Amino acid sequence: MVILQNISYSHSNKDALFSDINLTVNAHEKIALIGDNGAGKSTLLKIIAGYLQPSGGQLITDAKPYVVPQVFGQYNHLTVGQALDVAAKLDALHEILKGNTTEGNFEVLDDDWTIEDRCREALAYWKADGLDMLQKMETLSGGEKTKVFLAGIMIHQPEVVLLDEPSNHLDIEGRQLLYDFILSSKSTLITVSHDRKLLNLLNRICELDFKGIKTYGDNYDFYLQQKAIETDALSQDIQSKEKALRKAKEKERETIVRQQKLDARGKSKQEKAGVARIMMNTLKNNAENSTSKLKNAHAGKIEAINRDLQDLRTSVSDVSKMRFGFQDSQLHKSKILVKADNINFRYDEHYIWKQPLSFQVSSNERIAIKGANGSGKTTLIHLILGGLQPNMGTMTNVAGKCLYIDQDYSLINNEYTVYQQAQEFNTTGLEEHDIKIRLNRFLFGRDSWDKPCSVLSGGERMRLLLCCMTINDIAPDIIILDEPTNNLDIQNIEILTLAINEYQGALIVVSHDETFLEQININKVITI
């Protein structure tokens, strides 16, 4: 069991990240922790793991959590055995088997005679049996590092497991193993993930935002249904407040006009009756004070409605605020843009594909390239783009413009500010205010225009690149996406999905995110 009581956390500069977080995770429960970038999901996970101390509140847990991290750089200097915290036991076991039966070796082994077998079986389950316990972590791919830490769950059998974006680096086979593990595991699981297929395997969704944490008692599909209901209610509340605001302003105008007419009529009667000037001034002041009181009364009411309306509008999802409008490709439908005839590519005298590849890409197709880690998907992309030439067969590309977007959104120049980057794509001479209007559409307000691109998150880089695409007047004939969702949270995946579905040209995607592929309407698959 894990209990969070009034947990708060502030950055070193005293800025509060979150406060008054209350959450109970029961034994064997499997929950998801979701929220926008910057909401504090990873920080909360580190507090539960014991890596960070909260600024306030209390963490209660009856077991030390085991962590499958998202970032592995801090482990690169370790061997696989050291990263799994089994190196000392394995060394002690091997020494004992060689006859070095010291008390120290027995104490380190602690009667764990099956440790080597468990390590071998766990790595084999995750299809990582080719790894050596003495191999350095820095020599492994991202997927292999993830599998090492996933294997550690089977080795150590922890009661509580914290998973931080566990499917990010896994191929389709690895993801399926992960899904099977989640379904069968008896451990308490707390998972941060944007993998919507994975989220549907969990039995509670906990959403973290600046207001705190809110629990939805079922899987991700149920969460989406509830959010849709909340969004509809919010929309109705906003419409109701907007109507009330219009009525209040109209009432204010009508009341003041009516009062001014009464005052003017009274003044006219007083002048005709020959009222003394001093009395006239007094009556005039009284009329002005009366009008001022009316204005203040209405202004207070209007201000209160405005505040309520502003609070409601700040609750609207950023996705709902986005405005796209991409230029359409001018190519006619079904024009063949890329054609590959029996192509293959060679590294160190060995061809990377057992069978040569033949395929074509037409202007209206949406194609997914699928294959295991190391199968040559990125190589195929560079062959399509012309950066590599096949060692066998022929590859032709007649597309006028291809846009390649990798998972790090490297088209964004880290030396530029946000505004300078947008200006780089301004091929039609848009005025400065037009550029800034488009930046606002993609949630880059005034305080972001001078921000260096080097400090942008993955989601921000993606949104800036999409904004740049709308600024550039020439739509690409082909967009190629290489694992585009790896560094994005759920909200930014939704933004990317909406944008891609508005694009009318040819699309080629490498992704292990099956939900994303389904939602962008893939109609053809190249399997390698």
Side-chain angles (χ1 to χ4, degrees), residues 244-245 248 251 296-306:
L245 183 60
K251 182 69 173 176
N296 289 336
H298 283 286
K301 183 176 181 180
I302 289 171
E303 179 60 28
I305 296 174
N306 255 326

Side-chain angles (χ1 to χ4, degrees), residues 447-502:
D447 58 342
S448 301
W449 297 337
D450 293 326
K451 183 187 288 188
C453 291
S454 58
V455 303
L456 298 180
S457 68
E460 289 171 326
R461 293 172 74 85
M462 180 273 294
R463 282 192 281 109
L464 181 54
L465 185 54
L466 291 178
C467 178
C468 290
M469 288 172 61
T470 69
I471 291 171
N472 192 320
D473 193 46
I474 304 174
D477 298 327
I478 302 176
I479 292 179
I480 301 177
L481 302 171
D482 191 356
E483 296 291 0
T485 64
N486 265 12
N487 297 314
L488 304 183
D489 61 15
I490 292 172
Q491 182 193 60
N492 281 303
I493 293 175
E494 290 176 4
I495 291 171
L496 178 62
T497 302
L498 286 171
I500 291 302
N501 283 336
E502 285 195 14

Side-chain angles (χ1 to χ4, degrees), residues 361-381:
V361 179
S362 298
S363 57
N364 61 338
E365 288 186 308
R366 294 185 161 232
I367 300 172
I369 300 176
K370 294 187 177 183
N373 289 342
S375 61
K377 298 186 294 295
T378 301
T379 298
L380 180 55
I381 285 176

Side-chain angles (χ1 to χ4, degrees), residues 231-247 305 308-309 312-313 316:
T231 299
D232 287 343
L234 177 60
S235 178
Q236 290 176 15
D237 286 345
I238 289 174
Q239 291 175 17
S240 177
K241 284 294 180 185
E242 287 174 339
K243 184 177 180 180
L245 183 60
R246 287 194 300 271
K247 283 187 174 181
I305 296 174
D308 291 344
L309 185 58
L312 289 170
R313 283 173 174 164
V316 175

Side-chain angles (χ1 to χ4, degrees), residues 181-293:
F181 161 75
I182 287 174
L183 286 172
S184 62
S185 176
K186 301 301 181 185
S187 298
T188 302
L189 302 181
I190 302 176
T191 304
V192 171
S193 179
H194 64 256
D195 182 338
R196 289 155 293 181
K197 187 172 181 178
L198 185 156
L199 293 173
N200 269 328
L201 304 177
L202 304 173
N203 48 33
R204 187 152 61 107
I205 305 294
C206 300
E207 184 178 37
L208 182 66
D209 62 22
F210 67 95
K211 297 177 182 176
I213 196 163
K214 186 173 183 180
T215 295
Y216 297 81
D218 207 328
N219 64 12
Y220 189 68
D221 281 346
F222 175 80
Y223 161 81
L224 289 178
Q225 292 169 6
Q226 296 304 303
K227 292 296 284 186
I229 293 171
E230 291 175 9
T231 299
D232 287 343
L234 177 60
S235 178
Q236 290 176 15
D237 286 345
I238 289 174
Q239 291 175 17
S240 177
K241 284 294 180 185
E242 287 174 339
K243 184 177 180 180
L245 183 60
R246 287 194 300 271
K247 283 187 174 181
K249 288 181 176 180
E250 181 64 22
K251 182 69 173 176
E252 177 191 40
R253 188 187 67 80
E254 290 175 353
T255 302
I256 291 173
V257 168
R258 184 167 57 249
Q259 184 64 43
Q260 288 173 342
K261 286 180 178 178
L262 289 172
D263 292 343
R265 191 178 301 127
K267 181 181 178 183
S268 177
K269 288 181 179 179
Q270 291 152 11
E271 287 175 344
K272 288 179 180 178
V275 177
R277 180 176 296 276
I278 188 168
M279 181 60 71
M280 288 281 288
N281 288 336
T282 301
L283 292 171
K284 177 183 177 184
N285 289 336
N286 289 340
E288 288 176 350
N289 288 337
S290 177
T291 301
S292 178
K293 288 178 181 178

